[in-house]
Amino acid sequence: MAAVEFSHVSCTGAVCSCFLLAVAYVGSLYAWKSDLPRDHPATVKRRFVGVLLVTLLAPLYLWLISNDSADPQGPHLLQWLGLQTEGFLLASTLPLLLTMLLFLGPIAMCLTDGSCYSPITRGMMYIKYRYRDVLWLRNFIVAPFTEEFVFRACMLPLLIPCLGPGLAVVVCPLFFGVAHIHHVFERLKTGDQSVKVIWMLTMFQFSYTTVFGAYTAFLFVRTGHLIGPYFCHAFCNEMGFPNFGDVFTGSKLRAVLLSVLYVAGLVLFLVFLWPATQASLYSNSTYKWT
């Protein structure tokens, strides 16, 4: 496969291309007119078709606007997209373990109160009931993969030549965060909440998804692989946003131990964040961020 590059794409062109990809992704969710709620199986299946089509067309768009690289040994398109075999094993495990460190407190809490519901268990149920649990398929397969592919793998190759890796990691998730604002229309449609509450929830979701997007963008650039961000995305979909209030329910000893684990998890995460994502561990020669 021939080496390609995107250094000729201007900053304006890169930002506009990312905006186009984001609009295409969100637009595909509403391509099918329906009065059914977003979690209805028929709605979910129709949206699968839309986002998978965008996921297939996005790399074609990148290929069309790319130039042949002056360096014949440079990265080819699949490498830009984080699809490579070298370093795959570590890329599929270390970023996930790093993320689990960050969630050390929530993991301990759900293990002690019995609320943990393993994605593997969900997967086995999905197979057992003949692929009927489309929500499991959406939350752990389709949504994490397509979002990471379109919003990270297809946007960062355009942004990094213009902005550099550090700023690209900050700018890239803004498209991801804004893309989630469309949920406000679905909440307004149901009429279950006041407009004020809906906008508060939407702004919180925008903030949370933007920060999370910056983290997975960081993982993508540092490792040069898509698999790590995908696994971390699926894991975070399972865990959800930590419920800090539940830490202080129950006995005082439980609250102290969980508090220690929350803090310890955050400290360990920050300590290992940079060394555990060294490019050399993952044979990442595409994205250089030292």
Side-chain angles (χ1 to χ4, degrees):
M1 187 174 290
V4 297
E5 62 181 12
F6 301 92
S7 58
H8 65 287
V9 179
S10 66
C11 285
T12 301
V15 170
C16 288
S17 293
C18 292
F19 180 75
L20 175 65
L21 291 171
V23 169
Y25 189 93
V26 176
S28 72
L29 301 176
Y30 296 95
W32 312 89
K33 289 186 177 181
S34 174
D35 294 326
L36 297 173
R38 67 185 296 267
D39 289 339
H40 191 282
T43 303
V44 174
K45 290 175 182 177
R46 287 169 182 166
R47 290 184 168 186
F48 281 176
V49 176
V51 297
L52 289 173
L53 181 61
V54 173
T55 302
L56 289 172
L57 292 177
L60 176 61
Y61 174 73
L62 258 67
W63 177 73
L64 289 174
I65 65 173
S66 68
N67 273 352
D68 290 338
S69 176
D71 179 9
Q73 301 302 316
H76 52 70
L77 183 60
L78 291 181
Q79 288 175 312
W80 282 111
L81 296 173
L83 303 175
Q84 56 180 326
T85 56
E86 289 186 67
F88 182 85
L89 181 60
L90 283 180
S92 61
T93 52
L94 277 186
L96 179 59
L97 292 174
L98 183 66
T99 307
M100 292 176 73
L101 271 182
L102 180 61
F103 279 82
L104 187 60
I107 290 173
M109 186 162 61
C110 77
L111 287 174
T112 56
D113 63 19
S115 63
C116 280
Y117 194 22
S118 168
I120 297 177
T121 303
R122 292 177 188 256
M124 294 303 293
M125 292 175 63
Y126 175 76
I127 295 172
K128 180 180 179 180
Y129 293 106
R130 298 183 182 180
Y131 315 101
R132 293 177 186 173
D133 189 359
V134 292
L135 295 184
W136 179 90
L137 186 61
R138 179 191 68 186
N139 295 339
F140 298 107
I141 304 295
V142 178
F145 177 78
T146 58
E147 288 178 356
E148 291 304 318
F149 188 80
V150 174
F151 287 92
R152 250 66 76 185
C154 291
M155 292 187 182
L156 285 166
L158 299 173
L159 294 172
I160 286 178
C162 166
L163 303 175
L167 189 55
V169 163
V170 175
V171 172
C172 185
L174 294 176
F175 298 99
F176 183 60
V178 170
H180 282 76
I181 293 180
H182 74 92
H183 289 302
V184 70
F185 303 109
E186 295 178 341
R187 294 188 177 114
L188 287 170
K189 187 177 179 180
T190 61
D192 296 335
Q193 298 165 316
S194 68
V195 174
K196 181 180 179 180
V197 170
I198 288 173
W199 277 107
M200 287 177 63
L201 290 173
T202 301
M203 289 301 100
F204 172 77
Q205 187 177 28
F206 166 76
S207 302
Y208 176 66
T209 52
T210 300
V211 172
F212 172 76
Y215 172 57
T216 56
F218 172 87
L219 291 177
F220 181 85
V221 175
R222 291 281 290 168
T223 66
H225 285 265
L226 178 65
I227 188 67
Y230 160 67
F231 279 154
C232 292
H233 194 144
F235 171 77
C236 289
N237 278 0
E238 167 64 18
M239 297 301 297
F241 191 82
N243 189 345
F244 298 105
D246 284 352
V247 173
F248 303 101
T249 60
S251 67
K252 184 177 291 187
L253 177 61
R254 175 181 179 276
V256 171
L257 290 176
L258 286 176
S259 298
V260 169
L261 288 174
Y262 265 86
V263 174
L266 176 60
V267 171
L268 289 171
F269 170 78
L270 293 174
V271 167
F272 289 105
L273 179 61
W274 197 261
T277 56
Q278 293 183 65
S280 58
L281 294 173
Y282 308 97
S283 302
N284 176 20
S285 59
T286 304
Y287 299 99
K288 298 176 178 63
W289 188 7
T290 56

